[in-house]
Amino acid sequence: MIDLHLHLDGSLSKQDFIHLATIQNIKLPFDYEKLMSVDNDCKSLEQYLTCFDLPLSLLQTKEAISYAFYSLVNRLYKKGYIYVEIRFAPSLHTNKGLNQFEVVTASLEGLEEALVGKNNFNANIILCTMRHNDEKTNLETVRVASKFKGTHVVAIDLAGAEALHDCFYYKNVFEEARKNKLHITIHAGEATVSEEVNRAISLGAKRIGHGVKFKLSEENIELVKNLNIGFEFCPTSNIQTKSLKSYEDNPIVNFLNNDILVSVNSDNMSVSNTDVYKEFTHLYKHLKLSKEQIYRLLINAKDMAFVPNEEKELIKKEIDAKFEDFYQNITK
């Protein structure tokens, strides 16, 4: 019911693909449905990321971007979500002449239109800088995010092939983000080493995307607890990218036992053929999570959300109101 780590381009539905191709007179590959997702035979994060090529080709106009946000927010609401943060990289949507400011404007138009009339539900946007981008392009993403502060744009991320460069390569980008008082989350500790999480924290990250490789040494536990760092776990995609071998290998229980903020997220609904309900179901089945642990994970997600405390209190009321139904749904 809460998803803090959800990529737009990895979450288009089959109907989205058809609609976006039709309105732009683009012919989809005959096997486009196979290109939408991966399975457990995926060999690496790099292979996983190739699934984004087709959806990105369909998201290069204002109309397409607005529609994609509108469609995704509506689908999430119908599924019973309370709060979501949708992330995407505006720099990857400029191939047909849009600039990053125009891309984000289009995203907000679609998201805000979808939110009209939806009570007890909210959605925000995280803008991704990319590990393969040059510094100028990533700095532009940060500056665009700064221009939209106070809207539904709530944070900056660093995404892409983690092995390409370590976090310190982007220190100027995150110095700019900190200067503009932007919330920061960074993909780290997914495909590389535990130390990448430490680097991300030193650059100002308050949340870590994935982070399953993070070693829970006494020193590291003290670090993340003192700084109130949250971890955005995405169980199924971590298996598909070979970050983990199985759901049983997921360290989420160890994080909970050490009182570290950790949440359950989908990453990419279409690429990984999942959603938050499925992710909780997998963890309940394979790790035997207790009812109390499942509730704690939802409260953690609320605490980690990039929203004011007043909104967090409203989110908690919705969690409490819907928890029994949610629990029955994922444990049946």
Side-chain angles (χ1 to χ4, degrees), residues 142-288:
V142 173
R143 289 166 186 153
V144 168
S146 301
K147 292 177 182 178
F148 284 99
K149 278 183 66 175
T151 69
H152 285 278
V153 175
V154 295
I156 283 289
D157 182 22
L158 174 64
E162 192 178 328
L164 190 61
H165 298 292
D166 71 42
C167 286
F168 288 152
Y169 186 83
Y170 309 93
K171 61 182 180 180
N172 292 335
V173 174
F174 289 100
E175 181 179 346
E176 182 73 11
R178 293 195 305 274
K179 185 173 72 174
N180 286 282
K181 298 182 179 179
L182 297 171
H183 293 300
I184 297 171
T185 178
I186 294 178
H187 283 67
E190 176 187 13
T192 59
V193 295
S194 175
E195 287 73 21
E196 185 69 354
V197 175
N198 296 82
R199 297 181 192 117
I201 293 170
S202 72
L203 291 176
K206 295 299 293 183
R207 287 182 4 205
I208 301 298
H210 303 289
V212 292
K213 304 283 188 172
F214 188 58
K215 294 179 181 177
L216 295 183
S217 65
E218 289 185 16
E219 183 179 2
N220 279 341
I221 292 170
E222 182 179 5
L223 172 71
V224 297
K225 289 175 71 171
N226 286 343
L227 295 177
N228 211 33
I229 304 299
F231 287 78
E232 308 156 356
F233 277 14
C234 307
T236 296
S237 76
N238 285 157
I239 297 171
Q240 293 167 336
T241 63
K242 298 302 180 282
S243 297
L244 297 173
K245 293 181 180 180
S246 67
Y247 293 108
E248 286 82 1
D249 288 333
N250 193 293
I252 197 164
V253 173
N254 287 338
F255 277 63
L256 287 172
N257 288 342
N258 283 286
D259 294 322
I260 296 170
L261 280 176
V262 59
S263 63
V264 177
N265 309 277
S266 62
D267 203 3
N268 299 285
M269 291 170 61
S270 297
V271 174
S272 290
N273 187 26
T274 193
D275 58 29
V276 162
Y277 296 88
K278 290 181 181 179
E279 295 299 293
F280 269 98
T281 299
H282 292 314
L283 293 180
Y284 171 77
K285 176 181 177 181
H286 292 277
L287 296 178
K288 313 300 181 186

Side-chain angles (χ1 to χ4, degrees), residues 8-12 17 26 28-29 32 34-38 45-60 92-93 95-96 130 132 268 271:
L8 172 74
D9 42 358
S11 300
L12 301 184
F17 274 84
I26 296 173
L28 289 171
Y32 77 93
K34 291 184 178 179
L35 300 176
M36 287 172 57
S37 62
V38 298
L45 174 61
E46 287 72 21
Q47 181 181 341
Y48 185 89
L49 293 175
T50 63
C51 289
F52 295 87
D53 294 342
L54 179 58
L56 282 172
S57 72
L58 299 173
L59 295 171
Q60 299 297 326
L92 300 183
H93 301 265
N95 294 342
K96 291 187 178 179
M130 298 299 298
H132 68 266
N268 299 285
V271 174

